[in-house]
Amino acid sequence: MVIATGYFDGVHLGHRFLLEALVKAARERKDESMVITFHPHPRAVLQKEASSFRLISSREEKKELILKAGVDHIEELEFTKEFAALTAAEYIDFLVCRFGCRAIVLGYDNRFGCDEKSHNEIASIAADKGVEVITLGACLSDSGIEVSSTKIRKAIESGDCKAANQMLGRPYSIYGIVVAGNRIGRTIGFPTANVSPCDPLKIIPKGGVYLSRVHCLGKEFYGMTNIGRRPTVVNSTEIVIETNIFDFSEDIYSLEISVEFLERIRDEVRFNSLSELSAQLSSDRNRCLSILQTLR
């Protein structure tokens, strides 16, 4: 078995670069490829800010994207403090004994073991156990940025979805269920689908209005999504995700929906009246449609 190991949050361009190398290495050796991943995220177990740590991808999204890359097998291991205490040598022994590991593919910043060995040290330890180590260089985005999950998380949290999407190689999305709202948007000509995320640990982008792409009813639509507390209407204590889907009138309450964030339009603002809000939403819609013309 040829193995790559890590959390793979987001399965971004850097991860896909590694997964392509993994699949290729397995085929060259007439072997099978496997990804070893973990749950929960190591930071959620080992660091104090675990309660505020959020993820780019859900477990289901991650598995689907890894398999889509052509990997033969995925194993999800429970990450515990005891597991984290394994040395690099002990972890390699574990991979050999449990999965028949013959080769390991390491990304440029990929480390394992509590002793934090370098790539060369890991390769030396592995060689003594009959395991080959294949090391890769860094993966850069089209703009020359070194791709990492940490940078993507920061981009999403700051509202820079264009940068996040470039590093992901796809639009960042939130999957959820459409729930009932206060229906005020309908009264001003902008009905919205309020989305309750299925995974509470997914990162919610910075508050504001976004050009979005929506998948529901087996079809694809465009719209604009507001993330925030709706200060003009109710000033909610909770963050609300609501999407006005362009040229759409179907009843989709209680149905599944996926919202992709394409570009941030503006901050959320409190208006003095619903008429002012409606006028701004009309302007937002026109700007979104203008952007869409450049994307098509």
Side-chain angles (χ1 to χ4, degrees), residues 99-117:
F99 302 111
C101 177
R102 295 173 54 206
I104 300 172
V105 179
L106 291 179
Y108 81 101
D109 62 348
N110 201 187
R111 299 286 187 276
F112 55 73
C114 64
D115 43 356
E116 298 184 347
K117 298 294 187 182

Side-chain angles (χ1 to χ4, degrees), residues 35-50:
V35 163
I36 306 292
T37 187
F38 316 108
H39 182 78
H41 193 285
R43 281 182 60 178
V45 176
L46 301 176
Q47 297 190 10
K48 293 182 180 180
E49 69 268 23

Side-chain angles (χ1 to χ4, degrees), residues 254-292:
S254 301
L255 298 185
E256 299 171 343
I257 187 173
S258 175
V259 179
E260 298 177 346
F261 298 89
L262 305 183
E263 186 168 333
R264 191 170 189 270
I265 303 301
R266 63 171 174 86
D267 290 334
E268 185 178 49
V269 178
R270 184 185 185 282
F271 297 96
N272 293 321
S273 65
L274 289 179
S275 61
E276 283 188 15
L277 172 60
S278 178
Q280 181 60 57
L281 291 176
S282 294
S283 176
D284 294 339
R285 175 187 168 95
N286 289 337
R287 183 174 176 189
C288 287
L289 293 175
S290 176
I291 294 171
L292 282 175

Side-chain angles (χ1 to χ4, degrees), residues 1-5 8 15-37 63 65-76 95 99-105 134:
M1 193 74 68
V2 182
I3 291 176
T5 179
F8 292 92
H15 292 143
R16 300 223 293 274
F17 176 60
L18 185 148
L19 295 175
E20 289 172 5
L22 170 68
V23 172
K24 180 181 178 183
R27 288 174 179 167
E28 289 174 348
R29 289 158 181 75
K30 294 181 170 49
D31 209 335
E32 294 187 326
S33 57
M34 174 181 282
V35 163
I36 306 292
T37 187
K63 291 175 183 178
L65 289 165
I66 290 172
L67 290 174
K68 190 175 180 180
V71 174
D72 297 310
H73 307 282
I74 301 175
E75 285 286 338
E76 183 182 80
L95 296 179
F99 302 111
C101 177
R102 295 173 54 206
I104 300 172
V105 179
I134 303 161

Side-chain angles (χ1 to χ4, degrees), residues 37-260:
T37 187
F38 316 108
H39 182 78
H41 193 285
R43 281 182 60 178
V45 176
L46 301 176
Q47 297 190 10
K48 293 182 180 180
E49 69 268 23
S51 61
S52 61
F53 183 67
R54 293 295 178 265
L55 299 171
I56 303 166
S57 56
S58 67
R59 295 163 74 181
E60 293 74 18
E61 287 171 331
K62 179 171 67 174
K63 291 175 183 178
E64 180 181 346
L65 289 165
I66 290 172
L67 290 174
K68 190 175 180 180
V71 174
D72 297 310
H73 307 282
I74 301 175
E75 285 286 338
E76 183 182 80
L77 305 178
E78 181 182 6
F79 193 90
T80 63
K81 290 185 177 180
E82 292 73 24
F83 185 82
L86 293 176
T87 65
E90 290 170 335
Y91 187 56
I92 293 171
D93 284 337
F94 169 77
L95 296 179
V96 172
C97 294
R98 182 162 173 178
F99 302 111
C101 177
R102 295 173 54 206
I104 300 172
V105 179
L106 291 179
Y108 81 101
D109 62 348
N110 201 187
R111 299 286 187 276
F112 55 73
C114 64
D115 43 356
E116 298 184 347
K117 298 294 187 182
S118 67
H119 280 184
N120 289 339
E121 290 172 321
I122 291 173
S124 177
I125 294 169
D128 290 340
K129 301 175 184 297
V131 176
E132 179 186 2
V133 172
I134 303 161
T135 59
L136 306 177
C139 177
L140 303 180
S141 69
D142 290 341
S143 59
I145 298 173
E146 201 170 88
V147 178
S148 74
S149 296
T150 298
K151 289 179 181 177
I152 294 171
R153 287 189 200 101
K154 289 180 179 178
I156 296 169
E157 291 168 348
S158 68
D160 192 355
C161 57
K162 292 179 75 173
N165 295 346
Q166 188 177 63
M167 289 186 281
L168 280 169
R170 67 182 187 281
Y172 180 68
S173 63
I174 290 178
Y175 177 79
I177 304 297
V178 178
V179 297
N182 53 26
R183 298 178 182 260
I184 291 178
R186 189 176 301 276
T187 67
I188 59 174
F190 292 93
T192 60
N194 289 19
V195 182
S196 176
C198 290
D199 189 337
L201 292 181
K202 285 272 287 187
I203 302 170
I204 304 299
K206 180 180 178 180
V209 177
Y210 293 80
L211 167 63
S212 55
R213 183 162 54 209
V214 176
H215 297 268
C216 65
L217 302 176
K219 299 178 181 179
E220 178 180 286
F221 306 91
Y222 287 94
M224 54 186 182
T225 298
N226 183 78
I227 296 176
R229 303 184 187 280
R230 299 183 292 183
T232 304
V233 179
V234 291
N235 202 21
S236 172
T237 57
E238 297 181 354
I239 298 297
V240 177
I241 304 170
E242 52 184 351
T243 299
N244 171 246
I245 306 173
F246 299 153
D247 304 317
F248 185 84
S249 59
E250 300 289 336
D251 182 355
I252 55 174
Y253 285 119
S254 301
L255 298 185
E256 299 171 343
I257 187 173
S258 175
V259 179
E260 298 177 346

